[in-house]
Amino acid sequence: MEDIKDKKILLHVCCGPCSLGAIEPLLSDGAIVTLYYYNPCIVVGEYDKRLAALRTVAEHYGLPLVAEDHDYSHFLSYAEPYADAPEGGERCRYCMDDRLRGAAEYAGAHGFDYYTTTLTVSPHKNSKLIFSLADAIGGAAPFLHRDFKKRDGFLLSCRLARELDIYRQKFCGCEYSLAATEARG
């Protein structure tokens, strides 16, 4: 595992709760963390709730937060052909790739030593797939391979979200995951 003490890490963040499962281990390893919120996939309204929760987290830890403009139409441009794909399928692969590319570009352009993502906190996300997507991207800043669900990262994120009383969503973020969640009742 890479020594990240005093290294500048850009942490792509999907939401406040997942950030908690990644921030704690990165900070305990001595990293200098900047939060990066790039999530065109999240439906309007939900996007703002998650950003507000993330702002609470950033303030709690005293971390800088970069929030990119929200462009849901960008997500739809590559996701609509896969509207009927199951959760975790091709649509999700394209979505994760897009967000990793955004983080890689930002990290490279702004002098970060590494970038990584909170997507690996969720037990519903395939960390090996995320790692392979990031490896294929390449770029000026290397991807930091950390599976944040290990060592109870997901449980840590849930506990800290309750302690900080931050919003915790019940779906991945896009209209397709919302519809699937609503269909399950």
Side-chain angles (χ1 to χ4, degrees):
M1 189 156 53
E2 297 94 338
D3 178 9
I4 58 170
K5 184 173 179 8
D6 299 324
K7 300 292 185 190
K8 290 174 43 181
I9 309 290
L10 183 72
L11 177 61
H12 166 262
V13 181
C14 57
C15 64
C18 285
S19 73
L20 296 166
I23 291 170
E24 289 278 334
L26 290 172
L27 292 178
S28 69
D29 286 346
I32 301 163
V33 179
T34 296
L35 306 177
Y36 181 70
Y37 189 67
Y38 170 67
N39 297 291
C41 56
I42 300 174
V43 294
V44 175
E46 181 68 20
Y47 180 90
D48 294 329
K49 288 180 189 176
R50 293 185 190 196
L51 181 54
L54 185 56
R55 284 191 173 116
T56 299
V57 170
E59 289 174 21
H60 176 77
Y61 287 97
L63 298 175
L65 169 62
V66 176
E68 296 286 4
D69 291 337
H70 185 231
D71 182 4
Y72 193 69
S73 65
H74 170 70
F75 166 72
L76 292 176
S77 73
Y78 62 78
E80 279 183 319
Y82 304 99
D84 295 328
E87 196 74 16
E90 281 299 296
R91 181 184 64 250
C92 296
R93 186 182 76 71
Y94 283 109
C95 180
M96 289 186 289
D97 183 76
D98 177 52
R99 294 187 281 167
L100 290 169
R101 283 182 190 281
E105 289 171 13
Y106 190 91
H110 292 87
F112 284 86
D113 296 304
Y114 294 96
Y115 78 99
T116 194
T117 183
T118 62
L119 293 171
T120 66
V121 169
S122 172
H124 305 290
K125 299 284 187 278
N126 180 334
S127 294
K128 288 181 183 176
L129 172 62
I130 292 166
F131 295 162
S132 70
L133 291 169
D135 290 343
I137 292 168
F143 182 77
L144 180 65
H145 292 76
R146 294 285 169 97
D147 188 345
F148 292 112
K149 73 176 75 50
K150 302 242 173 159
R151 294 184 282 161
D152 293 327
F154 180 70
L155 295 175
L156 173 67
S157 72
C158 294
R159 180 179 59 78
L160 291 173
R162 281 190 304 276
E163 287 176 13
L164 293 175
D165 193 30
I166 62 170
Y167 170 72
R168 187 162 183 267
Q169 67 281 350
K170 297 184 182 346
F171 70 105
C172 187
C174 73
E175 65 189 74
Y176 308 110
S177 64
L178 177 59
T181 299
E182 289 173 344
R184 285 192 299 270

